[in-house]
């Protein structure tokens, strides 16, 4: 018989919707759609205050937990904007870590380092900030409020890894 913490982690690996539920959030249909979407490039055009940042935080943790060694970039026009999802992910991790067998996390400045080698970084989308990264997942929260060049600066980090871009 598989231990309960391991069973729960397996359920989360298969379905990030369950991960969000176990964190204490019942996802709306549009959040379920985004959590289960596997498209390479995603533009989520939901209204403000509809849970996009929370959903992106779950997706960031899902990638960090279940794709060891991955780098997830949370980009924003300003550092404060990039930290919004980053901070939500840190709070979610505290809840989820107690429930299932997932990697431990340490926060160092604007980076979450996981015991499986994954990292989640919050960066402003300036050329200087994002140059040199290769990421499996890049997220731009509040993408409508970023400068026109933001996607052009973020996209190259995904080329070498065939990574995903999520804009919300």
């Amino acid at each position: 018989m598989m231990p309960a913490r391991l069973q729960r982690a397996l359920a989360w690996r298969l379905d990030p919707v369950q991960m969000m539920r176990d964190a204490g959030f019942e996802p709306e249909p549009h959040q379920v759609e985004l959590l289960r979407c596997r498209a390479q490039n995603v533009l989520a055009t939901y209204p403000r205050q509809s849970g996009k940042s929370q959903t992106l935080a779950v997706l960031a943790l899902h990638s960090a937990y279940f794709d060891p060694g991955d780098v997830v970039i949370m980009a924003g026009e300003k550092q404060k904007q990039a930290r919004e999802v980053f901070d939500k992910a840190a709070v979610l991790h505290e809840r989820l870590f107690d429930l299932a067998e997932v990697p431990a996390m340490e926060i160092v400045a604007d980076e979450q380092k996981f015991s499986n080698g994954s990292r989640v970084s919050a960066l402003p989308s300036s050329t200087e900030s994002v140059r040199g990264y290769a990421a499996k997942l890049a997220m731009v929260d509040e993408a409508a409020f970023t400068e026109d060049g933001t996607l052009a600066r973020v996209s190259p980090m995904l080329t070498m890894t065939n990574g995903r871009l999520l804009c919300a």
Side-chain angles (χ1 to χ4, degrees), residues 43-93:
L43 175 60
T45 56
Y46 307 131
R48 294 189 54 73
Q49 301 301 311
S50 62
K52 291 185 302 286
S53 296
Q54 197 71 38
T55 306
L56 292 179
V58 170
L59 288 171
L61 289 176
H62 190 269
S63 182
Y65 288 170
F66 302 116
D67 292 318
D70 271 6
V71 175
V72 177
I73 300 294
M74 296 174 178
E77 193 57 37
K78 305 276 186 245
Q79 185 65 26
K80 181 180 176 187
Q81 193 176 3
R83 283 290 302 222
E84 186 70 27
V85 176
F86 180 92
D87 292 339
K88 286 180 187 284
V91 171
L92 282 173
H93 174 74

Side-chain angles (χ1 to χ4, degrees), residues 17-36:
V17 172
Q18 188 60 49
M19 194 168 138
M20 188 171 196
R21 286 184 176 130
D22 288 346
F25 300 95
E26 184 56 40
E28 296 292 329
H30 66 277
Q31 291 172 297
V32 170
E33 180 183 10
L34 184 56
L35 287 165
R36 290 185 175 152

Side-chain angles (χ1 to χ4, degrees), residues 56-129:
L56 292 179
V58 170
L59 288 171
L61 289 176
H62 190 269
S63 182
Y65 288 170
F66 302 116
D67 292 318
D70 271 6
V71 175
V72 177
I73 300 294
M74 296 174 178
E77 193 57 37
K78 305 276 186 245
Q79 185 65 26
K80 181 180 176 187
Q81 193 176 3
R83 283 290 302 222
E84 186 70 27
V85 176
F86 180 92
D87 292 339
K88 286 180 187 284
V91 171
L92 282 173
H93 174 74
E94 290 177 17
R95 293 180 189 171
L96 297 170
F97 186 74
D98 291 336
L99 298 175
E101 198 65 39
V102 295
M105 178 187 69
E106 172 187 22
I107 297 177
V108 178
D110 292 320
E111 188 166 72
Q112 298 167 348
K113 296 181 177 188
F114 293 84
S115 59
N116 65 355
S118 294
R119 295 178 304 164
V120 175
S121 297
L123 302 170
S125 60
S126 67
T127 303
E128 300 79 34
S129 295

Side-chain angles (χ1 to χ4, degrees), residues 43 52 75 81 140-147 150-151 166-168:
L43 175 60
K52 291 185 302 286
Q81 193 176 3
V140 182
D141 192 24
E142 301 290 349
F145 300 103
T146 61
E147 288 182 5
T150 299
L151 296 181
L166 300 178
C167 296

